PDB file of all heavy atoms in Angstrom:
ATOM      1  N   VAL M   1      62.107  45.025 128.999  1.00  0.00           N
ATOM      2  CA  VAL M   1      63.450  44.646 128.604  1.00  0.00           C
ATOM      3  C   VAL M   1      63.717  44.709 127.103  1.00  0.00           C
ATOM      4  O   VAL M   1      64.733  45.245 126.613  1.00  0.00           O
ATOM      5  CB  VAL M   1      63.892  43.290 129.114  1.00  0.00           C
ATOM      6  CG1 VAL M   1      65.140  42.809 128.533  1.00  0.00           C
ATOM      7  CG2 VAL M   1      63.944  43.347 130.661  1.00  0.00           C
ATOM      8  N   LEU M   2      62.704  44.223 126.320  1.00  0.00           N
ATOM      9  CA  LEU M   2      62.826  44.267 124.879  1.00  0.00           C
ATOM     10  C   LEU M   2      62.938  45.740 124.381  1.00  0.00           C
ATOM     11  O   LEU M   2      63.676  46.137 123.470  1.00  0.00           O
ATOM     12  CB  LEU M   2      61.588  43.620 124.257  1.00  0.00           C
ATOM     13  CG  LEU M   2      61.554  42.073 124.377  1.00  0.00           C
ATOM     14  CD1 LEU M   2      60.142  41.580 123.950  1.00  0.00           C
ATOM     15  CD2 LEU M   2      62.627  41.457 123.453  1.00  0.00           C
ATOM     16  N   ASP M   3      62.142  46.682 125.072  1.00  0.00           N
ATOM     17  CA  ASP M   3      62.207  48.066 124.741  1.00  0.00           C
ATOM     18  C   ASP M   3      63.605  48.668 125.013  1.00  0.00           C
ATOM     19  O   ASP M   3      64.176  49.386 124.237  1.00  0.00           O
ATOM     20  CB  ASP M   3      61.085  48.832 125.456  1.00  0.00           C
ATOM     21  CG  ASP M   3      61.058  50.239 125.079  1.00  0.00           C
ATOM     22  OD1 ASP M   3      60.842  50.559 123.880  1.00  0.00           O
ATOM     23  OD2 ASP M   3      61.262  51.144 125.964  1.00  0.00           O
ATOM     24  N   VAL M   4      64.157  48.340 126.200  1.00  0.00           N
ATOM     25  CA  VAL M   4      65.452  48.854 126.557  1.00  0.00           C
ATOM     26  C   VAL M   4      66.501  48.323 125.475  1.00  0.00           C
ATOM     27  O   VAL M   4      67.456  49.101 125.145  1.00  0.00           O
ATOM     28  CB  VAL M   4      65.840  48.375 127.970  1.00  0.00           C
ATOM     29  CG1 VAL M   4      67.334  48.576 128.254  1.00  0.00           C
ATOM     30  CG2 VAL M   4      64.976  49.075 129.011  1.00  0.00           C
ATOM     31  N   LEU M   5      66.396  47.077 125.057  1.00  0.00           N
ATOM     32  CA  LEU M   5      67.399  46.519 124.125  1.00  0.00           C
ATOM     33  C   LEU M   5      67.058  46.951 122.694  1.00  0.00           C
ATOM     34  O   LEU M   5      67.780  46.588 121.740  1.00  0.00           O
ATOM     35  CB  LEU M   5      67.332  45.019 124.191  1.00  0.00           C
ATOM     36  CG  LEU M   5      67.848  44.424 125.475  1.00  0.00           C
ATOM     37  CD1 LEU M   5      67.768  42.932 125.492  1.00  0.00           C
ATOM     38  CD2 LEU M   5      69.276  44.967 125.847  1.00  0.00           C
ATOM     39  N   GLY M   6      66.049  47.789 122.466  1.00  0.00           N
ATOM     40  CA  GLY M   6      65.791  48.235 121.112  1.00  0.00           C
ATOM     41  C   GLY M   6      65.149  47.171 120.186  1.00  0.00           C
ATOM     42  O   GLY M   6      65.231  47.291 119.042  1.00  0.00           O
ATOM     43  N   LEU M   7      64.449  46.185 120.848  1.00  0.00           N
ATOM     44  CA  LEU M   7      63.896  45.090 120.072  1.00  0.00           C
ATOM     45  C   LEU M   7      62.378  45.278 119.996  1.00  0.00           C
ATOM     46  O   LEU M   7      61.773  45.971 120.754  1.00  0.00           O
ATOM     47  CB  LEU M   7      64.239  43.785 120.734  1.00  0.00           C
ATOM     48  CG  LEU M   7      65.643  43.380 120.797  1.00  0.00           C
ATOM     49  CD1 LEU M   7      65.871  42.182 121.694  1.00  0.00           C
ATOM     50  CD2 LEU M   7      66.203  43.087 119.414  1.00  0.00           C
ATOM     51  N   ASP M   8      61.729  44.537 119.059  1.00  0.00           N
ATOM     52  CA  ASP M   8      60.281  44.611 118.923  1.00  0.00           C
ATOM     53  C   ASP M   8      59.657  44.031 120.228  1.00  0.00           C
ATOM     54  O   ASP M   8      59.950  42.960 120.607  1.00  0.00           O
ATOM     55  CB  ASP M   8      59.843  43.729 117.786  1.00  0.00           C
ATOM     56  CG  ASP M   8      58.385  43.827 117.409  1.00  0.00           C
ATOM     57  OD1 ASP M   8      57.670  44.412 118.203  1.00  0.00           O
ATOM     58  OD2 ASP M   8      58.029  43.428 116.287  1.00  0.00           O
ATOM     59  N   ALA M   9      58.746  44.848 120.674  1.00  0.00           N
ATOM     60  CA  ALA M   9      58.087  44.431 121.966  1.00  0.00           C
ATOM     61  C   ALA M   9      57.254  43.194 121.823  1.00  0.00           C
ATOM     62  O   ALA M   9      56.864  42.532 122.860  1.00  0.00           O
ATOM     63  CB  ALA M   9      57.112  45.575 122.518  1.00  0.00           C
ATOM     64  N   ASP M  10      56.905  42.780 120.595  1.00  0.00           N
ATOM     65  CA  ASP M  10      56.111  41.523 120.336  1.00  0.00           C
ATOM     66  C   ASP M  10      57.029  40.321 120.186  1.00  0.00           C
ATOM     67  O   ASP M  10      56.546  39.270 119.868  1.00  0.00           O
ATOM     68  CB  ASP M  10      55.303  41.764 119.145  1.00  0.00           C
ATOM     69  CG  ASP M  10      54.116  42.715 119.365  1.00  0.00           C
ATOM     70  OD1 ASP M  10      53.705  42.824 120.505  1.00  0.00           O
ATOM     71  OD2 ASP M  10      53.687  43.463 118.453  1.00  0.00           O
ATOM     72  N   CYS M  11      58.344  40.409 120.312  1.00  0.00           N
ATOM     73  CA  CYS M  11      59.183  39.268 120.305  1.00  0.00           C
ATOM     74  C   CYS M  11      58.754  38.282 121.387  1.00  0.00           C
ATOM     75  O   CYS M  11      58.437  38.737 122.539  1.00  0.00           O
ATOM     76  CB  CYS M  11      60.694  39.676 120.543  1.00  0.00           C
ATOM     77  SG  CYS M  11      61.476  40.382 119.077  1.00  0.00           S
ATOM     78  N   PRO M  12      58.732  36.971 121.091  1.00  0.00           N
ATOM     79  CA  PRO M  12      58.168  36.071 122.063  1.00  0.00           C
ATOM     80  C   PRO M  12      59.161  35.898 123.238  1.00  0.00           C
ATOM     81  O   PRO M  12      58.739  35.354 124.347  1.00  0.00           O
ATOM     82  CB  PRO M  12      58.017  34.727 121.309  1.00  0.00           C
ATOM     83  CG  PRO M  12      58.950  34.935 120.137  1.00  0.00           C
ATOM     84  CD  PRO M  12      59.003  36.345 119.864  1.00  0.00           C
ATOM     85  N   SER M  13      60.444  36.249 123.110  1.00  0.00           N
ATOM     86  CA  SER M  13      61.338  36.150 124.234  1.00  0.00           C
ATOM     87  C   SER M  13      62.551  37.022 123.994  1.00  0.00           C
ATOM     88  O   SER M  13      62.773  37.478 122.893  1.00  0.00           O
ATOM     89  CB  SER M  13      61.797  34.646 124.283  1.00  0.00           C
ATOM     90  OG  SER M  13      62.575  34.254 123.193  1.00  0.00           O
ATOM     91  N   VAL M  14      63.188  37.241 125.097  1.00  0.00           N
ATOM     92  CA  VAL M  14      64.494  37.974 125.015  1.00  0.00           C
ATOM     93  C   VAL M  14      65.557  36.984 124.527  1.00  0.00           C
ATOM     94  O   VAL M  14      66.359  37.267 123.702  1.00  0.00           O
ATOM     95  CB  VAL M  14      64.907  38.638 126.318  1.00  0.00           C
ATOM     96  CG1 VAL M  14      66.239  39.279 126.307  1.00  0.00           C
ATOM     97  CG2 VAL M  14      63.873  39.641 126.761  1.00  0.00           C
ATOM     98  N   VAL M  15      65.541  35.801 125.072  1.00  0.00           N
ATOM     99  CA  VAL M  15      66.545  34.832 124.571  1.00  0.00           C
ATOM    100  C   VAL M  15      66.212  34.390 123.166  1.00  0.00           C
ATOM    101  O   VAL M  15      65.039  33.995 122.878  1.00  0.00           O
ATOM    102  CB  VAL M  15      66.439  33.534 125.489  1.00  0.00           C
ATOM    103  CG1 VAL M  15      67.275  32.406 124.989  1.00  0.00           C
ATOM    104  CG2 VAL M  15      66.832  33.855 126.944  1.00  0.00           C
ATOM    105  N   GLY M  16      67.232  34.551 122.273  1.00  0.00           N
ATOM    106  CA  GLY M  16      67.012  34.214 120.902  1.00  0.00           C
ATOM    107  C   GLY M  16      66.501  35.320 120.090  1.00  0.00           C
ATOM    108  O   GLY M  16      66.483  35.224 118.871  1.00  0.00           O
ATOM    109  N   ALA M  17      66.144  36.462 120.646  1.00  0.00           N
ATOM    110  CA  ALA M  17      65.747  37.670 119.856  1.00  0.00           C
ATOM    111  C   ALA M  17      66.933  38.209 119.061  1.00  0.00           C
ATOM    112  O   ALA M  17      66.818  38.685 117.995  1.00  0.00           O
ATOM    113  CB  ALA M  17      65.210  38.677 120.764  1.00  0.00           C
ATOM    114  N   TYR M  18      68.147  38.112 119.632  1.00  0.00           N
ATOM    115  CA  TYR M  18      69.347  38.422 118.910  1.00  0.00           C
ATOM    116  C   TYR M  18      69.974  37.214 118.237  1.00  0.00           C
ATOM    117  O   TYR M  18      69.992  36.114 118.816  1.00  0.00           O
ATOM    118  CB  TYR M  18      70.453  39.007 119.904  1.00  0.00           C
ATOM    119  CG  TYR M  18      70.283  40.493 120.107  1.00  0.00           C
ATOM    120  CD1 TYR M  18      69.509  41.028 121.227  1.00  0.00           C
ATOM    121  CD2 TYR M  18      70.998  41.465 119.391  1.00  0.00           C
ATOM    122  CE1 TYR M  18      69.387  42.309 121.420  1.00  0.00           C
ATOM    123  CE2 TYR M  18      70.884  42.744 119.633  1.00  0.00           C
ATOM    124  CZ  TYR M  18      70.136  43.194 120.688  1.00  0.00           C
ATOM    125  OH  TYR M  18      69.948  44.556 121.002  1.00  0.00           O
ATOM    126  N   GLY M  19      70.377  37.362 117.044  1.00  0.00           N
ATOM    127  CA  GLY M  19      71.002  36.260 116.314  1.00  0.00           C
ATOM    128  C   GLY M  19      72.482  36.177 116.690  1.00  0.00           C
ATOM    129  O   GLY M  19      73.093  36.976 117.407  1.00  0.00           O
ATOM    130  N   VAL M  20      73.119  35.062 116.315  1.00  0.00           N
ATOM    131  CA  VAL M  20      74.564  34.818 116.691  1.00  0.00           C
ATOM    132  C   VAL M  20      75.399  36.023 116.120  1.00  0.00           C
ATOM    133  O   VAL M  20      76.343  36.479 116.755  1.00  0.00           O
ATOM    134  CB  VAL M  20      75.026  33.497 116.088  1.00  0.00           C
ATOM    135  CG1 VAL M  20      76.552  33.385 116.324  1.00  0.00           C
ATOM    136  CG2 VAL M  20      74.272  32.341 116.771  1.00  0.00           C
ATOM    137  N   ARG M  21      75.081  36.518 114.938  1.00  0.00           N
ATOM    138  CA  ARG M  21      75.908  37.526 114.367  1.00  0.00           C
ATOM    139  C   ARG M  21      75.696  38.866 115.148  1.00  0.00           C
ATOM    140  O   ARG M  21      76.544  39.769 114.980  1.00  0.00           O
ATOM    141  CB  ARG M  21      75.408  37.802 112.947  1.00  0.00           C
ATOM    142  CG  ARG M  21      75.681  36.692 112.046  1.00  0.00           C
ATOM    143  CD  ARG M  21      75.190  36.997 110.611  1.00  0.00           C
ATOM    144  NE  ARG M  21      75.345  35.823 109.679  1.00  0.00           N
ATOM    145  CZ  ARG M  21      74.893  35.858 108.506  1.00  0.00           C
ATOM    146  NH1 ARG M  21      74.275  36.818 107.955  1.00  0.00           N
ATOM    147  NH2 ARG M  21      75.102  34.741 107.739  1.00  0.00           N
ATOM    148  N   ASP M  22      74.683  39.056 115.980  1.00  0.00           N
ATOM    149  CA  ASP M  22      74.422  40.233 116.750  1.00  0.00           C
ATOM    150  C   ASP M  22      75.080  40.259 118.109  1.00  0.00           C
ATOM    151  O   ASP M  22      74.763  41.069 118.986  1.00  0.00           O
ATOM    152  CB  ASP M  22      72.925  40.443 116.806  1.00  0.00           C
ATOM    153  CG  ASP M  22      72.262  40.714 115.457  1.00  0.00           C
ATOM    154  OD1 ASP M  22      72.868  41.360 114.635  1.00  0.00           O
ATOM    155  OD2 ASP M  22      71.079  40.244 115.261  1.00  0.00           O
ATOM    156  N   LEU M  23      75.869  39.232 118.426  1.00  0.00           N
ATOM    157  CA  LEU M  23      76.398  39.066 119.706  1.00  0.00           C
ATOM    158  C   LEU M  23      77.247  40.237 120.193  1.00  0.00           C
ATOM    159  O   LEU M  23      77.027  40.777 121.263  1.00  0.00           O
ATOM    160  CB  LEU M  23      77.336  37.816 119.792  1.00  0.00           C
ATOM    161  CG  LEU M  23      77.918  37.448 121.172  1.00  0.00           C
ATOM    162  CD1 LEU M  23      76.912  37.286 122.234  1.00  0.00           C
ATOM    163  CD2 LEU M  23      78.876  36.308 121.105  1.00  0.00           C
ATOM    164  N   SER M  24      78.079  40.763 119.296  1.00  0.00           N
ATOM    165  CA  SER M  24      78.901  41.911 119.620  1.00  0.00           C
ATOM    166  C   SER M  24      78.041  43.179 119.887  1.00  0.00           C
ATOM    167  O   SER M  24      78.285  43.932 120.776  1.00  0.00           O
ATOM    168  CB  SER M  24      79.928  42.224 118.489  1.00  0.00           C
ATOM    169  OG  SER M  24      80.812  41.121 118.357  1.00  0.00           O
ATOM    170  N   ALA M  25      76.996  43.326 119.010  1.00  0.00           N
ATOM    171  CA  ALA M  25      76.091  44.526 119.061  1.00  0.00           C
ATOM    172  C   ALA M  25      75.414  44.501 120.536  1.00  0.00           C
ATOM    173  O   ALA M  25      75.247  45.502 121.162  1.00  0.00           O
ATOM    174  CB  ALA M  25      75.170  44.501 117.938  1.00  0.00           C
ATOM    175  N   LEU M  26      74.912  43.280 120.809  1.00  0.00           N
ATOM    176  CA  LEU M  26      74.261  43.121 122.136  1.00  0.00           C
ATOM    177  C   LEU M  26      75.213  43.465 123.296  1.00  0.00           C
ATOM    178  O   LEU M  26      74.859  44.137 124.213  1.00  0.00           O
ATOM    179  CB  LEU M  26      73.647  41.758 122.282  1.00  0.00           C
ATOM    180  CG  LEU M  26      73.015  41.515 123.613  1.00  0.00           C
ATOM    181  CD1 LEU M  26      71.885  42.447 123.898  1.00  0.00           C
ATOM    182  CD2 LEU M  26      72.518  40.094 123.745  1.00  0.00           C
ATOM    183  N   PHE M  27      76.493  42.930 123.205  1.00  0.00           N
ATOM    184  CA  PHE M  27      77.371  43.237 124.249  1.00  0.00           C
ATOM    185  C   PHE M  27      77.681  44.760 124.395  1.00  0.00           C
ATOM    186  O   PHE M  27      77.736  45.314 125.481  1.00  0.00           O
ATOM    187  CB  PHE M  27      78.718  42.538 123.932  1.00  0.00           C
ATOM    188  CG  PHE M  27      79.897  42.944 124.760  1.00  0.00           C
ATOM    189  CD1 PHE M  27      80.016  42.536 126.148  1.00  0.00           C
ATOM    190  CD2 PHE M  27      80.904  43.843 124.363  1.00  0.00           C
ATOM    191  CE1 PHE M  27      81.021  42.905 126.937  1.00  0.00           C
ATOM    192  CE2 PHE M  27      81.889  44.263 125.211  1.00  0.00           C
ATOM    193  CZ  PHE M  27      81.966  43.792 126.410  1.00  0.00           C
ATOM    194  N   LEU M  28      77.867  45.431 123.256  1.00  0.00           N
ATOM    195  CA  LEU M  28      78.107  46.842 123.365  1.00  0.00           C
ATOM    196  C   LEU M  28      76.879  47.595 123.902  1.00  0.00           C
ATOM    197  O   LEU M  28      77.061  48.556 124.637  1.00  0.00           O
ATOM    198  CB  LEU M  28      78.433  47.376 121.967  1.00  0.00           C
ATOM    199  CG  LEU M  28      79.797  46.925 121.377  1.00  0.00           C
ATOM    200  CD1 LEU M  28      79.920  47.341 119.922  1.00  0.00           C
ATOM    201  CD2 LEU M  28      80.995  47.351 122.224  1.00  0.00           C
ATOM    202  N   ARG M  29      75.747  47.077 123.605  1.00  0.00           N
ATOM    203  CA  ARG M  29      74.477  47.767 124.098  1.00  0.00           C
ATOM    204  C   ARG M  29      74.429  47.575 125.580  1.00  0.00           C
ATOM    205  O   ARG M  29      74.151  48.500 126.287  1.00  0.00           O
ATOM    206  CB  ARG M  29      73.242  47.099 123.372  1.00  0.00           C
ATOM    207  CG  ARG M  29      71.932  47.552 124.066  1.00  0.00           C
ATOM    208  CD  ARG M  29      71.753  48.990 123.943  1.00  0.00           C
ATOM    209  NE  ARG M  29      70.411  49.466 124.454  1.00  0.00           N
ATOM    210  CZ  ARG M  29      70.196  50.646 124.868  1.00  0.00           C
ATOM    211  NH1 ARG M  29      71.121  51.609 124.881  1.00  0.00           N
ATOM    212  NH2 ARG M  29      69.016  50.973 125.328  1.00  0.00           N
ATOM    213  N   LEU M  30      74.680  46.360 126.105  1.00  0.00           N
ATOM    214  CA  LEU M  30      74.711  46.064 127.520  1.00  0.00           C
ATOM    215  C   LEU M  30      75.744  46.866 128.216  1.00  0.00           C
ATOM    216  O   LEU M  30      75.582  47.301 129.401  1.00  0.00           O
ATOM    217  CB  LEU M  30      74.848  44.565 127.822  1.00  0.00           C
ATOM    218  CG  LEU M  30      73.742  43.716 127.279  1.00  0.00           C
ATOM    219  CD1 LEU M  30      74.104  42.256 127.557  1.00  0.00           C
ATOM    220  CD2 LEU M  30      72.483  43.951 128.019  1.00  0.00           C
ATOM    221  N   ALA M  31      76.909  47.056 127.592  1.00  0.00           N
ATOM    222  CA  ALA M  31      78.028  47.772 128.236  1.00  0.00           C
ATOM    223  C   ALA M  31      77.630  49.278 128.537  1.00  0.00           C
ATOM    224  O   ALA M  31      78.202  49.914 129.405  1.00  0.00           O
ATOM    225  CB  ALA M  31      79.301  47.776 127.336  1.00  0.00           C
ATOM    226  N   GLU M  32      76.657  49.770 127.716  1.00  0.00           N
ATOM    227  CA  GLU M  32      76.271  51.156 127.932  1.00  0.00           C
ATOM    228  C   GLU M  32      75.208  51.324 129.033  1.00  0.00           C
ATOM    229  O   GLU M  32      74.931  52.482 129.510  1.00  0.00           O
ATOM    230  CB  GLU M  32      75.584  51.727 126.667  1.00  0.00           C
ATOM    231  CG  GLU M  32      76.542  51.773 125.444  1.00  0.00           C
ATOM    232  CD  GLU M  32      75.842  52.124 124.200  1.00  0.00           C
ATOM    233  OE1 GLU M  32      74.550  52.178 124.157  1.00  0.00           O
ATOM    234  OE2 GLU M  32      76.525  52.308 123.148  1.00  0.00           O
ATOM    235  N   LEU M  33      74.637  50.203 129.502  1.00  0.00           N
ATOM    236  CA  LEU M  33      73.521  50.297 130.504  1.00  0.00           C
ATOM    237  C   LEU M  33      74.005  50.250 131.970  1.00  0.00           C
ATOM    238  O   LEU M  33      75.032  49.505 132.173  1.00  0.00           O
ATOM    239  CB  LEU M  33      72.562  49.142 130.272  1.00  0.00           C
ATOM    240  CG  LEU M  33      71.928  49.045 128.881  1.00  0.00           C
ATOM    241  CD1 LEU M  33      71.058  47.783 128.750  1.00  0.00           C
ATOM    242  CD2 LEU M  33      71.039  50.238 128.635  1.00  0.00           C
ATOM    243  N   PRO M  34      73.375  50.922 132.899  1.00  0.00           N
ATOM    244  CA  PRO M  34      73.806  50.833 134.256  1.00  0.00           C
ATOM    245  C   PRO M  34      73.597  49.494 134.866  1.00  0.00           C
ATOM    246  O   PRO M  34      72.749  48.689 134.324  1.00  0.00           O
ATOM    247  CB  PRO M  34      72.944  51.948 134.933  1.00  0.00           C
ATOM    248  CG  PRO M  34      71.694  52.030 134.015  1.00  0.00           C
ATOM    249  CD  PRO M  34      72.264  51.832 132.691  1.00  0.00           C
ATOM    250  N   ASP M  35      74.219  49.172 135.961  1.00  0.00           N
ATOM    251  CA  ASP M  35      74.231  47.835 136.541  1.00  0.00           C
ATOM    252  C   ASP M  35      72.705  47.401 136.891  1.00  0.00           C
ATOM    253  O   ASP M  35      72.323  46.267 136.712  1.00  0.00           O
ATOM    254  CB  ASP M  35      75.000  47.868 137.828  1.00  0.00           C
ATOM    255  CG  ASP M  35      76.486  47.909 137.583  1.00  0.00           C
ATOM    256  OD1 ASP M  35      76.906  47.658 136.366  1.00  0.00           O
ATOM    257  OD2 ASP M  35      77.247  48.172 138.505  1.00  0.00           O
ATOM    258  N   GLY M  36      71.981  48.372 137.393  1.00  0.00           N
ATOM    259  CA  GLY M  36      70.597  48.009 137.758  1.00  0.00           C
ATOM    260  C   GLY M  36      69.805  47.624 136.642  1.00  0.00           C
ATOM    261  O   GLY M  36      69.016  46.594 136.703  1.00  0.00           O
ATOM    262  N   VAL M  37      69.904  48.195 135.411  1.00  0.00           N
ATOM    263  CA  VAL M  37      69.170  47.789 134.235  1.00  0.00           C
ATOM    264  C   VAL M  37      69.677  46.413 133.741  1.00  0.00           C
ATOM    265  O   VAL M  37      68.864  45.588 133.352  1.00  0.00           O
ATOM    266  CB  VAL M  37      69.319  48.897 133.131  1.00  0.00           C
ATOM    267  CG1 VAL M  37      68.610  48.377 131.823  1.00  0.00           C
ATOM    268  CG2 VAL M  37      68.743  50.153 133.592  1.00  0.00           C
ATOM    269  N   VAL M  38      70.975  46.171 133.805  1.00  0.00           N
ATOM    270  CA  VAL M  38      71.481  44.930 133.391  1.00  0.00           C
ATOM    271  C   VAL M  38      71.027  43.798 134.268  1.00  0.00           C
ATOM    272  O   VAL M  38      70.595  42.722 133.752  1.00  0.00           O
ATOM    273  CB  VAL M  38      73.065  44.937 133.390  1.00  0.00           C
ATOM    274  CG1 VAL M  38      73.583  43.564 133.157  1.00  0.00           C
ATOM    275  CG2 VAL M  38      73.557  45.907 132.314  1.00  0.00           C
ATOM    276  N   LEU M  39      70.879  44.050 135.589  1.00  0.00           N
ATOM    277  CA  LEU M  39      70.333  43.016 136.404  1.00  0.00           C
ATOM    278  C   LEU M  39      68.895  42.729 136.207  1.00  0.00           C
ATOM    279  O   LEU M  39      68.325  41.620 136.354  1.00  0.00           O
ATOM    280  CB  LEU M  39      70.557  43.428 137.931  1.00  0.00           C
ATOM    281  CG  LEU M  39      72.036  43.394 138.429  1.00  0.00           C
ATOM    282  CD1 LEU M  39      72.036  44.070 139.799  1.00  0.00           C
ATOM    283  CD2 LEU M  39      72.541  42.006 138.429  1.00  0.00           C
ATOM    284  N   ASP M  40      68.161  43.825 135.808  1.00  0.00           N
ATOM    285  CA  ASP M  40      66.697  43.613 135.448  1.00  0.00           C
ATOM    286  C   ASP M  40      66.651  42.687 134.196  1.00  0.00           C
ATOM    287  O   ASP M  40      65.761  41.794 134.187  1.00  0.00           O
ATOM    288  CB  ASP M  40      66.070  44.956 135.183  1.00  0.00           C
ATOM    289  CG  ASP M  40      65.790  45.743 136.405  1.00  0.00           C
ATOM    290  OD1 ASP M  40      65.792  45.139 137.530  1.00  0.00           O
ATOM    291  OD2 ASP M  40      65.577  46.922 136.370  1.00  0.00           O
ATOM    292  N   ILE M  41      67.473  42.908 133.221  1.00  0.00           N
ATOM    293  CA  ILE M  41      67.527  42.098 132.078  1.00  0.00           C
ATOM    294  C   ILE M  41      67.933  40.656 132.392  1.00  0.00           C
ATOM    295  O   ILE M  41      67.344  39.661 131.911  1.00  0.00           O
ATOM    296  CB  ILE M  41      68.523  42.697 131.009  1.00  0.00           C
ATOM    297  CG1 ILE M  41      67.991  44.036 130.538  1.00  0.00           C
ATOM    298  CG2 ILE M  41      68.656  41.720 129.820  1.00  0.00           C
ATOM    299  CD1 ILE M  41      69.023  44.745 129.600  1.00  0.00           C
TER     300      ILE M  41
END
């Protein structure tokens, strides 16, 4: 999941890996992904 989101694979978690300022960027990234990938995340 971290790889799909373009994050460092060594991040300890997906939750908290994005900062508050990155909320919009994360939303736009998720909007590009198919439903199956979003459900996996």
